[in-house]
Amino acid sequence: MKAFRLDELEAERAANDGAYLQFLRERNMSVGLYALNAGEHDPQKPHNQDEVYFVVSGRAAITVGLETTEVARGSVVYVPAGVAHKFHHISEDLRVVVVFAPPET
């Protein structure tokens, strides 16, 4: 078993000065913590993997392809592989658990 605490992951991510911390990588998936602060720009480009976002905290909008929705704590968003997507209008610091399947390359 592997178990993680979000507060410890956030501290590790912040200590490494990055917006993204991959904390689990297995044969069929990888999982990370993604952070964008209020007003920040999301630099993402489409990925080669399907992904699921689980919003842990914060508020923003996300556009996936041509669809846009508001997200906040508890929101879950699926993004198919190869589809353009970005968080925007980030009004509260955003912390998101990201699951990639297969693992992010």
Side-chain angles (χ1 to χ4, degrees):
M1 178 173 90
K2 296 177 184 174
F4 305 91
R5 291 178 42 117
L6 285 172
D7 57 342
E8 293 171 355
L9 295 172
E10 174 62 11
E12 182 179 349
R13 184 206 57 77
N16 289 317
D17 274 341
Y20 184 73
L21 170 72
Q22 183 182 93
F23 62 88
L24 179 65
R25 184 177 182 85
E26 297 294 333
R27 185 171 53 91
N28 294 315
M29 69 173 188
S30 61
V31 184
L33 178 65
Y34 190 46
L36 293 166
N37 292 327
E40 196 170 353
H41 169 74
D42 183 1
Q44 291 193 83
K45 296 187 179 0
H47 305 284
N48 295 323
Q49 304 81 8
D50 287 340
E51 61 186 305
V52 173
Y53 289 114
F54 174 72
V55 179
V56 175
S57 63
R59 289 188 174 283
I62 186 170
T63 298
V64 178
L66 300 175
E67 296 180 85
T68 299
T69 191
E70 300 291 320
V71 294
R73 181 177 170 218
S75 296
V76 178
V77 178
Y78 167 68
V79 179
V83 175
H85 58 286
K86 291 207 184 293
F87 290 100
H88 52 92
H89 295 94
I90 302 166
S91 59
E92 296 176 13
D93 292 352
L94 194 62
R95 300 300 182 264
V96 182
V97 172
V98 185
V99 179
F100 287 99
E104 184 183 31
T105 53

